[in-house]
Amino acid sequence: EDKVVQSPLSLVVHEGDTVTLNCSYEVTNFRSLLWYKQEKKAPTFLFMLTSSGIEKKSGRLSSILDKKELFSILNITATQTGDSAVYLCGPSDTGNQFYFGTGTSLTVIP
Amino acid sequence: NAGVTQTPKFQVLKTGQSMTLQCAQDMNHEYMSWYRQDPGMGLRLIHYSVGAGITDQGEVPNGYNVSRSTTEDFPLRLLSAAPSQTSVYFCASRRDNYFGQETQYFGPGTRLLVL
């Protein structure tokens, strides 16, 4: 069964729009959830979340985790063309296993 | 720091050939791992290591071997390549700080084509 489901699969928005990317997961012995941005090459780290309800922010990006409902969201405000990428979420367990969703492909149109 | 480096960038193999994908990091990270990324499948963990001399299997270990003789290096070996192993391979290392915060760094990837 799928351990990580990301939605939507793809998204096309105009510059300046706000987007919300979703990640639901099912991992036994949950340890953390990481968000990455992938632009045709290697994924680059965005956030690590371990506690419910605590928002992590970095510029126009923010993320929050709900460990009870087993999901996380990534928000991007005032989108720019440079935000176009595939966004991956990856929960890990205490046994050092990492799991990834197939990602959300975001395209920002000027 | 060079971060995580991988060689080669691209490789073509014939079915049955063997090869080693190289991965090195200069950040003194204990945890290293190998992933493969296939269209529609996301990243899948192949093998990982929590320190020199310690390795373990991930989600899709069959057909791959690893070893970790030093903290810096974590090579991935394909013993007998199969077309199903055509993929992009990423090596990653992870930093954990004293507060439990972790950051995972990926190498640039190796694109492997098995004919």
Side-chain angles (χ1 to χ4, degrees):
Chain A
E1 75 281 6
D2 289 332
K3 291 185 179 291
V4 186
V5 178
Q6 291 187 246
S7 62
L9 291 180
S10 65
L11 197 54
V12 180
V13 300
H14 289 95
E15 269 193 320
D17 288 349
T18 294
V19 298
T20 298
L21 311 183
N22 304 293
C23 174
S24 64
Y25 63 91
E26 186 175 333
V27 172
T28 305
N29 299 319
F30 175 86
R31 170 189 163 120
S32 65
L33 187 141
L34 280 70
W35 281 95
Y36 297 87
K37 178 182 182 182
Q38 187 173 24
E39 299 171 271
K40 297 188 183 297
K41 293 187 177 179
T44 54
F45 172 81
L46 293 175
F47 297 110
M48 177 195 132
L49 305 160
T50 56
S51 301
S52 283
I54 299 175
E55 185 181 50
K56 294 282 186 81
K57 292 196 72 170
S58 177
R60 296 175 294 101
L61 278 66
S62 64
S63 184
I64 198 162
L65 175 69
D66 186 326
K67 289 168 70 174
K68 182 179 178 184
E69 299 298 329
L70 307 181
F71 78 89
S72 175
I73 61 172
L74 175 68
N75 281 319
I76 308 176
T77 59
T79 52
Q80 303 172 355
T81 55
D83 295 328
S84 295
V86 175
Y87 290 84
L88 302 169
C89 80
S92 67
D93 63 23
T94 54
N96 285 305
Q97 298 276 353
F98 282 82
Y99 307 93
F100 282 88
T102 54
T104 293
S105 176
L106 174 65
T107 302
V108 181
I109 300 171
Chain B
N1 286 352
V4 181
T5 58
Q6 290 183 236
T7 56
K9 290 184 180 178
F10 180 70
Q11 182 72 47
V12 179
L13 290 178
K14 294 182 179 178
T15 296
Q17 287 185 315
S18 62
M19 80 160 294
T20 299
L21 308 185
Q22 301 292 344
C23 175
Q25 52 93 8
D26 60 358
M27 298 174 282
N28 203 33
H29 292 169
E30 292 295 328
Y31 182 96
M32 296 184 72
S33 53
W34 277 101
Y35 295 88
R36 59 178 290 175
Q37 187 172 37
D38 303 293
M41 299 291 290
L43 285 158
R44 290 182 291 169
L45 182 64
I46 304 172
H47 285 285
Y48 67 93
S49 168
V50 297
I54 306 169
T55 64
D56 208 342
Q57 296 180 350
E59 186 181 354
V60 288
N62 292 340
Y64 307 95
N65 276 358
V66 292
S67 59
R68 185 95 178 270
S69 56
T70 66
T71 299
E72 293 77 20
D73 301 298
F74 191 43
L76 178 72
R77 280 183 286 277
L78 282 72
L79 303 176
S80 178
S84 61
Q85 293 179 303
T86 293
S87 187
V88 179
Y89 291 85
F90 289 103
C91 178
S93 72
R94 190 181 83 196
R95 178 194 74 188
D96 295 349
N97 67 19
Y98 294 116
F99 302 101
Q101 297 293 309
E102 58 185 78
T103 306
Q104 190 159 221
Y105 300 92
F106 282 83
T110 294
R111 190 174 294 273
L112 178 66
L113 174 62
V114 182
L115 302 175

